[in-house]
Amino acid sequence: MRLRYSFVIDDDPRFLVEGEIFLRTLLASGVASSDIVAQVTARSGGAGKCLAARFGVRAIDLPLGPDKAYCNKINQLFTLAGDDFDVLVACDTDLAILRPLDRIARTDVVRARRVDLENPPLHVLEKARQLLDFPEQPPLVPTGFAPEAMTYALNCNGGMLLIPRKFMRPLGETWLRIAQTLVAHRQLMERWTNHIDQVAWAFAMLRLQLPFEELPLEYNFPTALAKKIPADTYERPVVLHHHHAVHRNGRIRKTGVRLVDQSITEANRCLRRHFNVNLRRIASRLWNPASR
């Protein structure tokens, strides 16, 4: 089975720092550069393509999504239509992937991990459901780390989505249409407009009734929540979702949780000696306000 790992570089300098982390850890895991694609927006200028070129990774132009911000992942499902692979791994850039994901990828089901918290709350999802004319409430589950809060079973963290190639076109088309509708009625999302991409994905999956299997926690591990997660509920993380928790030297911040920090230490070994000096300066400015 051949996977294609795809991530986005937009105009915020954070994407360059996080892109370096993403690429160094993924390549160190043994994934070939030919299996990685940087999806670069026009507003990122030449910096995104230069970053990809340094690592021998192909860069392709990515049209902006309907909200010009958080929905940029949708178009990844169209830009790779001519590529030969079995499963797309559509990634947020703020990930460190420590092992190839072949053992968890499947060609017959879409895989992702449910949301950690009630983002957005159930009442917001219900307003979106009514707008989109879904007659019945989908199955409900507790959120990952706020079990008193319920959410749709398909309300998933968009940080990493594993999508079989055969589902990419129909899912992309439906996802895009629903996102466009939600953007046009963004007031219904209240203060959770940055979750339109995630919510539209859930309703696209529901509309198409695509087969789904949830990912284990260690394959999209939120480092910011490490101290709140019971230690006996997961194995050593394989995919670290660090959510910008990066030191000004370009390394991922540790959490104080031993098992998680073992993975962070492994990731940081890839960054210690070879992190690009110019990106280190960017990181220093971004995460050290006194130096701006």
Side-chain angles (χ1 to χ4, degrees), residues 77 108-112 132 134 138 153-156 161-164 167-168 170-176 178 197-214:
L77 275 64
D108 57 341
V109 296
V110 178
R111 303 203 70 182
L132 297 168
F134 281 76
L154 281 167
N155 185 21
C156 290
L161 308 172
L162 277 67
I163 305 170
F167 297 145
M168 284 172 52
L171 179 57
E173 291 173 349
T174 305
W175 188 2
L176 180 60
I178 292 175
D197 179 63
Q198 164 192 314
V199 173
W201 183 87
F203 281 109
M205 289 286 293
L206 288 165
R207 182 80 76 193
L208 296 172
Q209 297 185 336
L210 293 180
F212 174 78
E213 183 176 298
E214 188 172 352

Side-chain angles (χ1 to χ4, degrees), residues 9 19 39 69 125 136 140 157 163 184 237 248 259 267:
I9 303 177
Q39 306 254 3
L125 294 175
E136 297 181 0
L140 300 179
N157 183 290
I163 305 170
R248 60 188 180 186
L259 191 62

Side-chain angles (χ1 to χ4, degrees), residues 124-186:
V124 172
L125 294 175
E126 283 292 277
K127 287 197 295 184
R129 178 176 68 85
Q130 293 166 14
L131 171 70
L132 297 168
D133 197 27
F134 281 76
E136 297 181 0
Q137 186 182 73
L140 300 179
V141 295
T143 61
F145 309 121
E148 71 284 356
M150 302 298 287
T151 191
Y152 294 169
L154 281 167
N155 185 21
C156 290
N157 183 290
M160 191 175 76
L161 308 172
L162 277 67
I163 305 170
R165 192 179 188 284
K166 63 185 177 183
F167 297 145
M168 284 172 52
R169 173 63 62 173
L171 179 57
E173 291 173 349
T174 305
W175 188 2
L176 180 60
R177 284 196 300 269
I178 292 175
Q180 289 168 335
T181 300
L182 292 178
V183 168
H185 297 83
R186 65 174 70 216

Side-chain angles (χ1 to χ4, degrees), residues 145 217 221-234 237 253-261 264:
F145 309 121
L217 173 59
F221 191 95
T223 61
L225 297 175
K227 290 185 177 180
K228 299 181 179 180
I229 304 172
D232 59 352
T233 62
Y234 61 91
R253 292 184 182 275
K254 292 190 176 180
T255 65
V257 177
R258 182 179 178 184
L259 191 62
V260 180
D261 287 348
I264 292 176

